[in-house]
Amino acid sequence: MDMALKFLAEKTRQQSLNGISTQKKYDSTMRELSKLKVFNRILYVGAHPDDENNKLLTFFAQDQLADAAYLSLTRGEGGQNFIGAEKGSELGVLRVQESLSARETEGTRQFFTRAKDFGFVESADETMFIWNEQTVLADMVWTIRYFRPQVIITRFSPNIPDLHGHHQSSAILTERAYDLAADPEAYPEQLEELSVWKAQHLLWNVYRESGVKDIGGNVTPLPEYLALYMPVYNRYSGVHYGEIAAESRNKHRSQAMASLTQHTPSVEYFELLKGEPVDTIALDSLFASPETSDRYIPVFKKLVDGLLMKHVYENNREFSLTIATILLWMNTVPANSAIQKKRGDLELLLLRSLGASFEVNSTDDRWVPGANVNLSLQVNIPKESDLILNSVTVPFFETVYHESYQLSQTERIEITGRLSHTINPSFPIWLKEEGDRGSYSPQSSGDIVLPQQDNPTVVKLQLQFAALSIAVTVPVLTNNKPVTISPAFTGAFETEIVVLTDFTSRSISLEIQSNVATVETVNVRLTGAEGLELFPKEQTVVICGNASEKVNFQLTSLGHTERIQKLGFEIETVYGVHQNNIKSVSYPHIEEVVYYPKAELRVLNSSVASLASRIAYISGKNDELIASLKQLVNHLELIPPTALKDTDLSAFDAVILGFRIYNTDPYLVDFHGQLQEYIQAGGVLINQYNTPYDLSVAEVGPYPLSVSGERISDAKSAIHFLNPTHRILNYPNKIGQQDFDNWIQDRGLFFPKDWGKEFEPIVRTQNSDKGNEDGLLLVSKKGKGYYINSSLSLFRQLPAGVVGAYRLFANMLSIGS
């Protein structure tokens, strides 16, 4: 035990004997001081935001005091969402925030690559082809060279196939990145800002059960695997590691990753994949501070020992002066020394020891470029601290604010200026270039690896303590949240998709929101409407300050194009031309994100006929089909399961069950009989996919049908019609092979493998093993009505504007007509 730790233990023991336990007072600072002496960095790598081992990362950060980070190759854009309606890139925004919240709980860091989660796929080869292996590798190599870990750990094995191709691919790419990061010939453009890095060890964190539903079975740890025994309690806080890990795991709520607290010791197993041999007897030393050739580190550690002694004896003045002395000495140390990474932590510790703090607040939570901004800088400097505020700089004003001060006490400073016109609206930097199906297209790896939004709204302070100068950046907050940069005007279409059939017309509404305080006259026009008749071409609207106005345009089909068109808008004002919508991702377990992407209205100009006029939708949680279904019928009524007892279903041509509803809504069980009676009397009931996990009923249909975990991840898989004359393939729309073109992400998921003879399978496709799969669309007749079980991924295709999906769904709705 270090001498300083011995002193602390003895002092705490004596005070406890006197009835004055001061352990909690010391814990936080002792942990920070001890962490200063640790230079080990550990990088954990997985495929998705919820693949990490939370307990192990917590152990690294809070017991070993290592700088630990999780690299998720994707942002989870292709996953399910169990708490909201976000999908695609919006789901990626949510899962990034969940990951950051989990990392904050653990005390670790988070990195990503440009790879997209494009949905489930079994093959690692197919995964890396879609991802573009070389560009994703570039981001991984950049991460290793930037973070410089001594140990890299993969969640999955590069050598054991997994049921999810993303998983094994992440491990295969990690093996390659491990070598490439140390190769000066690999990605030489990175070496202009970074240097090559050779990690000492590459390990696979062998799992018994990963907790990931898609994982390819359990792995039994063998005797040759390395075993790490993890304690129950954190030695600094006394909190169970299981509690911290469960809290971190539970941040992934959009993926229903709830975790129970484990209060027992556990063992983690590792297999050495590459690198130096490992001492199996002292495995925990592998994750402790490594030996290094940096000659400044031993000196730095001795200086920190002196700090520990000062902290033990509670001499705050000497404690602060000692920190300042260390920082002054660090000014003489080369910039490439590892100790320079500790400068920020030391400066923060110094300011805390002096009792100083700084806050910048704004009364407005959203700023518009070119508008006036009022800031309040709260400077908290105790008079006896000898700390001086020398200057304040606000770089985001049109004319940069820079004022000199000689402030050595607590004071509030009011600052007013005009926000620069060149500052961009808030937007996740990784989303700026959308890329293709498999990956984003960032300008640099740094833009994509680091997950935070680009935040230009920081105030810079220059401080002086004795002979030491300290530069501090303070973010501007409103109600403890970052300020958002907003366009002067935003717009929102009332729906995300419009279907024009048989030369029809539809009125679409655009709501314009003013974000400025003055009355303005704006000109509004739609863009991208080639091949459509648009009336009027342009509108002029007067909008009061911070108010909203709706304008309507008439869209008329001039002929079927059988393709999706993307319409936008332009709002022309004295502030410029604006094309942005506003998006907000806000849940209690994450920090809210407000951002401004370009608005988009998808228009499908096609021949889609539907005989159903009035349908009911018993929606599951956060259903995405509602806007699309409104394009197919005259009347759509949303019915929660709890309202079924008061609903006469015979009034509807068809009833649709929301996807996963038998997993998410237990109330539906009480009305299962009512639904069967509706079918018997002549109704059409359409059941969408459910997962085999947590089903609330033994049978989801009127006849035996078993739900599986199988998927067809190839959205281009060949489709064969088992009965080409079946009504559902012919009326009122003739379904052909072209109707299965341009599907996105997958064909179907969680389709049945076994069903009763009462069901007729309609289509056949093949799985990755080239075996036939017939369970994607099953139809049965019962009494006067029909029951349809669809595991086709129509919930993705309709919002995306896939023509064939609309035509097939219209036939499903019309089968009873």
Side-chain angles (χ1 to χ4, degrees):
M1 182 185 291
D2 289 350
M3 184 60 67
L5 290 176
K6 290 182 179 178
F7 269 95
L8 174 64
E10 178 59 23
K11 185 175 181 66
T12 303
R13 187 186 69 84
Q14 291 174 353
Q15 291 175 323
S16 295
L17 291 173
N18 294 328
I20 310 172
S21 175
T22 59
Q23 185 67 51
K24 289 185 179 180
K25 178 180 178 181
Y26 283 102
D27 277 343
S28 177
T29 305
M30 277 300 301
R31 182 181 179 279
E32 292 178 50
L33 290 170
S34 299
K35 187 175 176 65
L36 287 172
K37 297 172 61 180
V38 178
F39 290 85
N40 198 21
R41 290 175 299 280
I42 301 169
L43 181 65
Y44 199 93
V45 185
H48 306 109
D50 52 14
D51 288 344
E52 77 274 22
N53 184 331
N54 302 95
K55 191 171 185 180
L56 187 59
L57 284 170
T58 300
F59 172 76
F60 289 152
Q62 302 201 28
D63 184 275
Q64 300 294 298
L65 303 182
D67 193 356
Y70 176 51
L71 170 60
S72 173
L73 268 59
T74 75
R75 288 169 168 80
E77 303 90 335
Q80 305 297 320
N81 187 351
F82 288 85
I83 64 171
E86 294 84 4
K87 60 181 182 295
S89 61
E90 292 179 45
L91 178 58
V93 173
L94 168 57
R95 297 189 71 181
V96 165
Q97 294 306 113
E98 289 183 328
S99 295
L100 293 177
S101 185
R103 301 294 81 77
E104 183 179 4
T105 301
E106 300 161 353
T108 59
R109 295 205 240 176
Q110 178 71 51
F111 302 122
F112 294 99
T113 77
R114 74 189 65 202
K116 289 182 180 178
D117 177 2
F118 55 84
F120 183 85
V121 61
E122 295 183 10
S123 164
D125 290 338
E126 182 182 356
T127 296
M128 289 192 282
F129 175 77
I130 295 174
W131 275 351
N132 190 336
E133 177 181 341
Q134 291 306 313
T135 57
V136 175
L137 266 176
D139 296 336
M140 299 178 74
V141 169
W142 192 95
T143 304
I144 294 171
R145 289 171 172 174
Y146 169 80
F147 187 54
R148 301 169 74 82
Q150 283 77 27
V151 180
I152 301 176
I153 304 173
T154 66
R155 165 74 284 188
F156 305 102
S157 169
N159 306 314
I160 300 177
D162 191 280
L163 288 180
H164 199 325
H166 294 183
H167 292 168
Q168 188 181 14
S169 297
S170 70
I172 293 172
L173 292 175
T174 303
E175 267 198 321
R176 296 175 187 171
Y178 175 89
D179 292 325
L180 291 171
D183 182 359
E185 301 298 320
Y187 307 103
E189 69 281 358
Q190 296 181 2
L191 302 181
E192 295 179 7
E193 58 176 340
L194 303 171
S195 57
V196 296
W197 180 256
K198 181 68 173 180
Q200 296 173 4
H201 308 282
L202 175 63
L203 306 172
W204 168 38
N205 182 199
V206 181
Y207 48 79
R208 287 181 183 270
E209 295 180 3
S210 75
V212 182
K213 292 177 181 177
D214 298 322
I215 204 164
N218 297 340
V219 175
T220 302
L222 301 175
E224 61 265 28
Y225 290 152
L226 310 171
L228 174 67
Y229 296 87
M230 295 176 58
V232 177
Y233 296 99
N234 177 265
R235 54 177 165 164
Y236 293 98
S237 66
V239 177
H240 287 266
Y241 281 114
E243 292 178 9
I244 303 171
E247 182 182 351
S248 174
R249 191 71 180 163
N250 291 339
K251 298 297 184 181
H252 296 297
R253 294 182 191 174
S254 67
Q255 303 305 295
M257 285 291 173
S259 177
L260 298 176
T261 300
Q262 297 178 356
H263 295 280
T264 57
S266 58
V267 182
E268 293 291 338
Y269 296 95
F270 302 89
E271 178 183 309
L272 180 64
L273 300 176
K274 286 179 177 287
E276 302 170 7
V278 177
D279 183 354
T280 58
I281 304 300
L283 182 60
D284 56 345
S285 64
L286 174 67
F287 306 113
S289 194
E291 296 297 325
T292 176
S293 59
D294 190 330
R295 63 190 180 92
Y296 296 98
I297 288 180
V299 180
F300 182 79
K301 287 183 176 181
K302 288 183 179 180
L303 292 172
V304 174
D305 280 336
L307 269 181
L308 284 161
M309 296 292 287
K310 294 290 192 303
H311 178 58
V312 167
Y313 285 111
E314 299 183 85
N315 190 325
N316 287 337
R317 182 65 179 174
E318 288 190 25
F319 184 69
S320 301
L321 288 171
T322 303
I323 297 176
T325 302
I326 296 174
L327 287 166
L328 286 169
W329 168 74
M330 290 174 68
N331 290 340
T332 67
V333 175
N336 62 354
S337 172
I339 72 168
Q340 296 294 2
K341 292 185 178 294
K342 303 291 185 178
R343 175 176 291 276
D345 294 332
L346 266 176
E347 289 178 341
L348 181 60
L349 193 60
L350 171 61
L351 294 177
R352 285 223 305 267
S353 72
L354 295 172
S357 64
F358 308 93
E359 297 178 16
V360 183
N361 290 286
S362 168
T363 54
D364 299 318
D365 61 350
R366 296 182 189 178
W367 296 347
V368 173
N372 288 330
V373 169
N374 298 312
L375 303 177
S376 179
L377 168 60
Q378 179 64 44
V379 178
N380 299 309
I381 301 179
K383 291 183 179 180
E384 67 279 5
S385 68
D386 292 332
L387 182 69
I388 299 172
L389 173 64
N390 283 336
S391 67
V392 177
T393 303
V394 183
F396 49 80
F397 283 170
E398 198 78 74
T399 300
V400 173
Y401 175 95
H402 180 82
E403 290 291 335
S404 298
Y405 293 87
Q406 286 294 306
L407 189 61
S408 58
Q409 62 183 16
T410 296
E411 190 168 316
R412 181 184 294 273
I413 301 173
E414 304 297 333
I415 303 172
T416 300
R418 185 179 296 275
L419 188 63
S420 171
H421 282 86
T422 60
I423 197 167
N424 292 320
S426 299
F427 199 74
I429 193 169
W430 53 272
L431 261 181
K432 287 185 177 179
E433 298 294 336
E434 187 172 343
D436 55 25
R437 179 192 177 195
S439 60
Y440 298 100
S441 300
Q443 293 185 352
S444 68
S445 290
D447 286 342
I448 205 79
V449 168
L450 305 175
Q452 290 80 4
Q453 288 181 272
D454 187 14
N455 180 16
T457 56
V458 294
V459 174
K460 299 179 179 180
L461 311 180
Q462 193 66 42
L463 307 168
Q464 189 80 24
F465 177 68
L468 181 69
S469 293
I470 305 173
V472 175
T473 58
V474 184
V476 180
L477 302 177
T478 300
N479 296 325
N480 211 32
K481 297 190 299 185
V483 169
T484 300
I485 308 298
S486 168
F489 289 84
T490 56
F493 291 109
E494 64 177 340
T495 182
E496 293 184 352
I497 190 163
V498 168
V499 178
L500 298 177
T501 62
D502 298 325
F503 306 97
T504 56
S505 296
R506 281 187 183 270
S507 176
I508 60 170
S509 175
L510 173 66
E511 183 170 8
I512 305 169
Q513 174 65 50
S514 168
N515 299 310
V516 296
T518 54
V519 178
E520 300 291 343
T521 299
V522 304
N523 295 320
V524 188
R525 51 187 172 267
L526 299 188
T527 60
E530 295 79 8
L532 301 171
E533 183 178 328
L534 184 63
F535 180 81
K537 301 291 185 183
E538 185 173 299
Q539 298 189 53
T540 300
V541 183
V542 178
I543 303 182
C544 296
N546 296 310
S548 63
E549 290 287 341
K550 281 189 176 182
V551 295
N552 294 297
F553 292 88
Q554 192 80 9
L555 280 180
T556 302
S557 167
L558 297 178
H560 299 145
T561 61
E562 300 298 323
R563 63 181 177 86
I564 195 76
Q565 284 182 260
K566 296 180 180 180
L567 272 61
F569 60 77
E570 290 182 344
I571 305 172
E572 187 175 357
T573 74
V574 295
Y575 291 90
V577 177
H578 305 286
Q579 302 173 300
N580 303 86
N581 191 2
I582 179 173
K583 296 284 187 181
S584 174
V585 178
S586 179
Y587 293 94
H589 65 298
I590 62 169
E591 182 178 290
E592 181 185 26
V593 177
V594 178
Y595 64 106
Y596 300 89
K598 280 191 175 182
E600 182 180 277
L601 171 68
R602 295 185 292 281
V603 177
L604 181 58
N605 187 11
S606 178
S607 55
V608 179
S610 176
L611 300 181
S613 176
R614 183 181 176 87
I615 65 174
Y617 198 91
I618 304 176
S619 60
K621 290 186 177 180
N622 317 303
D623 220 307
E624 304 165 11
L625 277 182
I626 295 169
S628 300
L629 290 173
K630 286 181 178 179
Q631 306 299 314
L632 287 175
V633 295
N634 295 326
H635 179 82
L636 173 68
E637 186 168 333
L638 302 179
I639 303 175
T642 51
L644 277 172
K645 64 181 179 192
D646 301 318
T647 303
D648 180 10
L649 295 179
S650 64
F652 300 101
D653 298 320
V655 174
I656 307 170
L657 301 180
F659 57 86
R660 290 201 317 267
I661 195 166
Y662 283 114
N663 301 115
T664 61
D665 206 320
Y667 291 105
L668 194 62
V669 176
D670 298 334
F671 306 101
H672 203 52
Q674 181 183 354
L675 295 175
Q676 305 309 313
E677 292 173 2
Y678 166 72
I679 302 171
Q680 187 77 35
V684 176
L685 180 65
I686 300 174
N687 180 43
Q688 299 182 83
Y689 87 91
N690 294 274
T691 74
Y693 322 111
D694 306 321
L695 278 175
S696 57
V697 291
E699 296 287 351
V700 298
Y703 305 113
L705 179 150
S706 63
V707 180
S708 79
E710 298 294 325
R711 311 184 193 191
I712 301 296
S713 57
D714 182 4
K716 298 180 180 179
S717 66
I719 294 291
H720 304 281
F721 300 146
L722 296 173
N723 180 2
T725 64
H726 196 283
R727 176 186 174 96
I728 209 168
L729 295 175
N730 291 276
Y731 190 75
N733 302 284
K734 178 70 175 178
I735 303 299
Q737 291 294 331
Q738 73 279 359
D739 290 299
F740 290 89
D741 293 341
N742 303 315
W743 283 44
I744 63 169
Q745 192 156 320
D746 45 31
R747 279 288 190 220
L749 60 172
F750 302 108
F751 49 84
K753 298 289 284 187
D754 300 297
W755 51 85
K757 59 181 175 42
E758 297 85 356
F759 287 101
E760 180 178 0
I762 304 300
V763 296
R764 169 177 289 170
T765 189
Q766 291 182 323
N767 58 34
S768 58
D769 296 327
K770 305 304 180 185
N772 291 332
E773 298 292 355
D774 297 350
L776 291 173
L777 185 61
L778 303 174
V779 180
S780 65
K781 189 82 166 63
K782 180 176 183 179
K784 299 178 181 180
Y786 291 87
Y787 174 84
I788 301 173
N789 193 87
S790 172
S791 296
L792 292 165
S793 61
L794 297 172
F795 74 102
R796 298 193 200 279
Q797 314 312 320
L798 266 62
V802 177
V803 178
Y806 274 92
R807 290 159 54 83
L808 179 59
F809 211 114
N811 285 10
M812 292 162 60
L813 293 173
S814 306
I815 195 171
S817 301

